[in-house]
Amino acid sequence: MEKQVVIGSDHAGFELKEKMIAYLKANHYHVEDFGTNSPDSVDYPDFAHPVANAIENGNAPLGILICGSGVGVCITANKHVGIRAALAWTKEVATLGRQHNDANIVCLPARFIDESEAKGIIDAFLNTEFEGGRHATRVGKMQC
């Protein structure tokens, strides 16, 4: 059975997004790409909101967002109810985001990581389960 993930980026993350889509598809993921579709300058919220909406509405279990620093898309996604977007620049940070925070979107800083690091971060994120337990209590206190 094919696994599903949604992805989006701004212009700064476009090149890395395209490489990650190819990587994910080669690893048997169904990938829904919410753009952008070129390196031309765009506004990151226009792509972060559709990714967050897909997860918020139950149309996808996990998402990936990419911009220059990862911060803009992370802030935008976290405005959505039920979204827990985590900015990750290492595999370890991505793993902890899933294990302890039940993150459902990973945000990548395209200007600060290379393709190999991005693959490791995505693999860690997608292959780590939420631990629950004491972490579930904390996650339950996040929503305003």
Side-chain angles (χ1 to χ4, degrees):
M1 181 176 178
E2 204 170 50
K3 301 164 274 191
Q4 181 183 5
V5 67
V6 290
I7 193 167
S9 75
D10 70 356
H11 56 281
F14 171 71
E15 184 179 333
L16 185 60
K17 176 182 68 81
E18 294 299 301
K19 291 176 182 177
M20 293 306 101
I21 290 171
Y23 175 71
L24 288 161
K25 287 182 176 181
N27 285 283
H28 310 290
Y29 278 86
H30 171 76
V31 182
E32 187 170 358
D33 179 7
F34 286 99
T36 193
N37 299 312
S38 83
D40 297 337
S41 183
V42 294
D43 298 329
Y44 58 80
D46 295 339
F47 307 96
H49 285 305
V51 168
N53 283 335
I55 295 166
E56 187 176 22
N57 295 331
N59 297 324
L62 297 172
I64 301 164
L65 287 169
I66 309 170
C67 71
S69 68
V71 174
V73 292
C74 193
I75 291 170
T76 302
N78 278 316
K79 300 293 182 185
H80 289 256
V81 173
I83 297 301
R84 292 170 304 282
L87 174 58
W89 57 95
T90 67
K91 295 184 291 189
E92 294 79 11
V93 172
T95 297
L96 287 172
R98 288 286 297 136
Q99 283 179 338
H100 293 185
N101 308 116
D102 199 17
N104 48 20
I105 296 177
V106 66
C107 302
L108 304 179
R111 292 186 176 134
F112 299 94
I113 60 172
D114 63 25
E115 180 180 349
S116 175
E117 290 168 317
K119 288 176 181 177
I121 291 165
I122 288 172
D123 285 344
F125 180 77
L126 295 176
N127 295 306
T128 301
E129 296 293 326
F130 178 51
E131 287 182 353
R134 71 179 196 267
H135 303 295
T137 301
R138 296 169 185 159
V139 169
K141 294 179 178 182
M142 287 181 182
Q143 202 65 46
C144 290

